[in-house]
Amino acid sequence: MQAFSLNGMEGHLVRDKVRLSHGHVGWSRCHTELLFPPPSCAVSLPGNLTLSNPYDIFQALNRGIATVKEDAIEMLASYGLAYSLMKFFTGPMSDFKNVGLVFVNSKRDRRKAVFCMVTAGVIAFVLHILIAYTDLGYYIINKLHHVDDSVGNKTRKAFLYLAAFPLLDAMAWIHAGILLKHKYSVIVGSASISDVVAQIVFVAILLHSNLECVEPLLIPILSLYMGALVRFTIVGLGYYCNIHDNIPESSGMDVGGDATIKKMLSFWWPLALILATQRISRPIVNLFVSRDLKGTSESTEAVAVLTATYPVGHMPYGWLTELRAVYPAFDKNNPSNKLDAGSPVTKSHIKKFTSCCLAISFTLCFVVFWTPGLSEKILIDVIGVDKSFADLCVVPLRIFSFFPVPVTVRAHLTGWLMTLKKTFVLAPSSVLRIIVLITSLVVLPYMGVHGATLGVGSLLAGFIGESTMVAIAACYVYRQQKNSEMSNDLVVEGEDSAPMSEVCSRTQMDAIEELQEEEEEEQE
């Protein structure tokens, strides 16, 4: 059982490391290609086909790190567990980029957003210290995850080394959101790609240093810091060189005035809750899939299949999530759009663009996962598995083919609700996702579904449940808007149908009041 835990965490490291690279590159890909041409979203559509994620490079890096010492399994398990805990506690901070995208219209707004992130970063730092040095860490890491003292001590040490990362990462995200608001998506994309390149370079350098013998845990951690530092430097310089001097000290009333910290946090917490449920979904799936097979060798194999299929299945549709940034970036209330009134992007353009992205992703999924032998070849060449193992991944990967539909619906409607600053209606969707996920994991085994197919199928059910709730929330907000417009129209019609004598009397009363005010001013 202990060996199973270590293998599971080793896979968790590989999955999280790939997710890290995928999150950066997929995000930059979407924004670099979607938002850069201001005249029309559709112009950038072919560019999405030209970029791909370096999964093979990162799988090779993980295998290289794993061969540093004889206790490579423990090192991988420790780093993977520490990194996954760090992302679970602080990952939602990355959604603060949407605060920069929607709320930051002035230097004062930026200072408030930076203050929120500094505060969150300090809290995360203290949390890391507590977990590293107190019994809280022992219960969270050793007891909850059922690891031995050796892995637990290394995990807490790695968690301590990662204490400053959330603050650095959060500062990069908030400035990335501001850059996206002003259509500097090329800078954001360049920063994200540079992050990945920096990690690769520094891992290669550090593998030839004394750290390999002194403290091998520092090799992936320092490379992670250097990548984040490079990304923060690029987006920070991009902000100060292109935006800082061009935005006002405070926001005018045409954009609703200065945003308050309360408004920022009220906007952010539902998005953070959604991201937190997404982070915890896969560990829940792994847990239920393993318990369903009673901890046998088949359970280990099923978790390994899930670990291999997550990054590959995510490739063709993962970038669709960032479609939610399109609506806020082209919002009519965005000051940068008011300066570009000659070529506005309408809701119709955004809907057509979203439909095209869905069609491309859906086509890619079916071509890659349903073409005989193609998905197996990707797994063998990229992940490095054997033929028999690749055959076990075929059915789960084909289930991934249906993920683009709920992901696109969720992203498109979330972007619209972000523009209206009504993200609070999204909170129930995260709860429903977990409920549907767990229900599927419990019910499907009675229908003969087990292993990795059970895990991916339950994830799909959770996505569908979440997207359905987002659609219901969007319909609710849309209905409210329509009712508000109808009531305003009735008020206008009532004023238009008022008798002429009443209108004249109103005009006379207004004139009398103005004369009285003038007389009072003269007396003063």
Side-chain angles (χ1 to χ4, degrees):
M1 193 65 184
Q2 185 63 44
F4 166 71
S5 299
L6 291 175
N7 289 335
M9 284 182 288
E10 180 184 359
H12 197 62
L13 164 67
V14 176
R15 183 174 71 254
D16 275 341
K17 189 69 175 177
V18 172
R19 186 191 303 159
L20 171 69
S21 65
H22 178 70
H24 292 324
V25 179
W27 179 52
S28 64
R29 168 177 59 192
C30 176
H31 288 88
T32 303
E33 300 298 330
L34 302 192
L35 302 183
F36 177 59
S40 173
C41 292
V43 174
S44 62
L45 186 60
N48 288 314
L49 298 174
T50 62
L51 295 174
S52 60
N53 293 310
Y55 286 99
D56 50 343
I57 296 175
F58 273 90
Q59 293 292 346
L61 281 172
N62 285 320
R63 288 197 295 266
I65 296 172
T67 57
V68 171
K69 292 183 69 179
E70 293 181 359
D71 58 348
I73 295 296
E74 286 192 1
M75 189 187 73
L76 281 169
S78 301
Y79 172 71
L81 183 53
Y83 180 78
S84 64
L85 283 172
M86 185 264 295
K87 295 302 289 184
F88 174 72
F89 285 118
T90 63
M93 292 166 62
S94 65
D95 258 334
F96 222 80
K97 75 176 184 293
N98 295 312
V99 173
L101 181 63
V102 175
F103 278 98
V104 177
N105 297 306
S106 65
K107 295 182 179 71
R108 185 174 297 175
D109 291 339
R110 172 184 169 270
R111 286 196 292 270
K112 292 176 182 177
V114 169
F115 173 77
C116 291
M117 285 293 92
V118 170
T119 303
V122 171
I123 293 173
F125 184 85
V126 172
L127 183 65
H128 279 66
I129 299 297
L130 290 175
I131 290 178
Y133 285 113
T134 67
D135 290 339
L136 176 64
Y138 178 79
Y139 285 107
I140 290 177
I141 295 173
N142 295 60
K143 293 296 185 181
L144 186 61
H145 292 84
H146 299 288
V147 298
D148 58 29
D149 290 338
S150 177
V151 173
N153 292 334
K154 289 180 181 178
T155 300
R156 293 166 72 178
K157 183 186 292 186
F159 202 67
L160 176 65
Y161 292 153
L162 291 168
F165 181 82
L167 177 60
L168 182 61
D169 193 47
M171 295 301 292
W173 281 120
I174 188 66
H175 289 93
I178 300 172
L179 287 167
L180 291 173
K181 185 183 188 74
H182 293 269
K183 311 299 187 302
Y184 290 102
S185 52
V186 168
I187 297 176
V188 177
S190 300
S192 300
I193 294 173
S194 299
D195 180 349
V196 176
V197 173
Q199 289 186 55
I200 296 172
V201 171
F202 275 93
V203 165
I205 293 173
L206 293 175
L207 281 173
H208 293 84
S209 68
N210 291 333
L211 284 177
E212 180 179 345
C213 300
V214 177
E215 186 56 275
L217 272 176
L218 285 175
I219 294 176
I221 291 173
L222 287 177
S223 68
L224 195 66
Y225 272 108
M226 294 309 301
L229 181 62
V230 168
R231 179 161 51 91
F232 171 67
T233 302
I234 293 175
V235 296
L237 290 174
Y239 166 78
Y240 277 102
C241 293
N242 297 286
I243 298 175
H244 187 74
D245 294 333
N246 297 324
I247 57 176
E249 181 63 31
S250 61
S251 302
M253 294 308 298
D254 56 333
V255 293
D258 289 328
T260 63
I261 293 177
K262 182 180 179 180
K263 287 182 179 179
M264 290 181 179
L265 295 178
S266 297
F267 174 87
W268 166 77
W269 77 261
L271 300 175
L273 179 62
I274 291 171
L275 185 57
T277 58
Q278 291 173 358
R279 300 280 184 185
I280 203 172
S281 293
R282 290 179 182 177
I284 289 175
V285 166
N286 289 343
L287 177 64
F288 273 81
V289 168
S290 174
R291 288 181 177 273
D292 174 56
L293 296 173
K294 305 295 188 298
T296 62
S297 59
E298 291 181 352
S299 68
T300 305
E301 188 177 63
V303 173
V305 170
L306 286 171
T307 301
T309 54
Y310 280 148
V312 177
H314 196 71
M315 276 194 294
Y317 78 87
W319 54 278
L320 291 173
T321 301
E322 296 307 326
L323 286 173
R324 62 182 181 173
V326 177
Y327 255 119
F330 290 99
D331 180 23
K332 62 182 179 181
N333 293 323
N334 187 338
S336 65
N337 291 332
K338 294 180 179 180
L339 300 175
D340 189 29
S343 55
V345 174
T346 64
K347 291 182 179 179
S348 177
H349 291 147
I350 294 175
K351 290 177 182 177
K352 291 178 181 177
F353 176 68
T354 302
S355 300
C356 290
C357 289
L358 172 60
I360 289 175
S361 178
F362 208 63
T363 302
L364 281 174
C365 283
F366 272 86
V367 168
V368 173
F369 300 144
W370 290 80
T371 301
L374 183 57
S375 59
E376 294 95 317
K377 182 174 177 58
I378 292 174
L379 289 164
I380 294 171
D381 295 342
V382 175
I383 309 296
V385 302
D386 56 31
K387 182 66 168 62
S388 60
F389 185 88
D391 292 336
L392 297 174
C393 300
V394 172
V395 174
L397 285 175
R398 288 181 176 177
I399 297 175
F400 273 112
S401 302
F402 302 98
F403 276 63
V405 176
V407 170
T408 302
V409 171
R410 183 189 65 185
H412 182 75
L413 296 178
T414 299
W416 179 65
L417 292 170
M418 284 168 54
T419 303
L420 300 176
K421 300 182 177 68
K422 293 185 179 294
T423 53
F424 65 92
V425 298
L426 295 170
S429 66
S430 60
V431 178
L432 183 63
R433 171 176 175 154
I434 294 297
I435 293 173
V436 173
L437 175 67
I438 295 177
T439 302
S440 300
L441 289 167
V442 172
V443 172
L444 287 178
Y446 293 101
M447 302 172 63
V449 181
H450 302 279
T453 304
L454 168 64
V456 180
S458 298
L459 277 177
L460 177 60
F463 269 78
I464 293 173
E466 181 185 17
S467 300
T468 301
M469 183 57 73
V470 171
I472 293 172
C475 290
Y476 169 75
V477 173
Y478 180 77
R479 192 178 187 84
Q480 276 192 327
Q481 281 190 323
K482 285 298 181 183
N483 291 337
S484 178
E485 291 174 3
M486 288 176 62
S487 62
N488 291 336
D489 290 342
L490 290 174
V491 171
V492 172
E493 289 176 3
E495 292 178 353
D496 292 342
S497 61
M500 184 60 67
S501 60
E502 184 180 343
V503 175
C504 292
S505 65
R506 288 178 186 172
T507 306
Q508 291 172 358
M509 289 297 296
D510 293 340
I512 292 171
E513 290 177 359
E514 290 177 3
L515 287 172
Q516 289 176 347
E517 291 174 359
E518 290 177 359
E519 289 176 358
E520 291 175 357
E521 290 175 358
E522 289 176 357
Q523 290 175 0
E524 292 176 357

